[in-house]
Amino acid sequence: MNQQHTHQATSETTVEEKVRKVELLISNLLRFGVLASLVLIVGGTLLSLAHHSEYLTPGVSFHRFVEASDNVPHSLAGLATGLKAFSGTAIAVLGILLLIATPVVRVGVSIFAFIYQRDRLYTLITATVFCLLLLSFALGKVE
């Protein structure tokens, strides 16, 4: 009886360790995603200000700085072109995309986390949520 109790306690500890490892992985993923996006957004904004010093002169409205223009990439190809040209706007847009992608990646990692924990129900639920997120990106095209 004592041996069975010891085995059960060891099994519970192993499950708790697995859960803790998964929680740390997800926590670090979210932290990295947010910090990297912050660096890209701030860096891209500062680079845009450096390339367009007229935005810093008195009399230029803030509206001119944030108004929609053709300089903002509207596709992945446009983003790649802007990044190759070291465009501050493209770098900031990459930061925004990373900020949007971070929780989506978290859901994707959670699928593998639940598989690792052998939790079939939450694996199925999380995989469904992940598919719905991807579907919303595919169908949510803005024109």
Side-chain angles (χ1 to χ4, degrees), residues 57-127:
T57 59
V60 176
S61 71
F62 184 71
H63 179 70
R64 183 171 172 215
F65 178 66
V66 296
E67 71 185 358
S69 71
D70 291 333
N71 296 334
V72 178
H74 296 281
S75 67
L76 292 178
L79 179 64
T81 302
L83 291 172
K84 287 178 188 173
F86 206 60
S87 162
T89 305
I91 292 170
V93 168
L94 179 64
I96 292 168
L97 289 176
L98 179 60
L99 188 63
I100 293 168
T102 298
V104 177
V105 172
R106 184 242 190 262
V107 173
V109 168
S110 295
I111 295 170
F112 295 104
F114 290 128
I115 290 171
Y116 178 68
Q117 294 172 8
R118 296 188 174 133
D119 190 334
R120 290 183 180 154
L121 178 62
Y122 278 100
T123 300
L124 179 63
I125 292 169
T126 307

Side-chain angles (χ1 to χ4, degrees), residues 38-50 87-93:
L38 175 69
V39 167
L40 288 169
I41 292 168
V42 169
T45 302
L46 292 175
L47 188 60
S48 287
L49 290 173
S87 162
T89 305
I91 292 170
V93 168

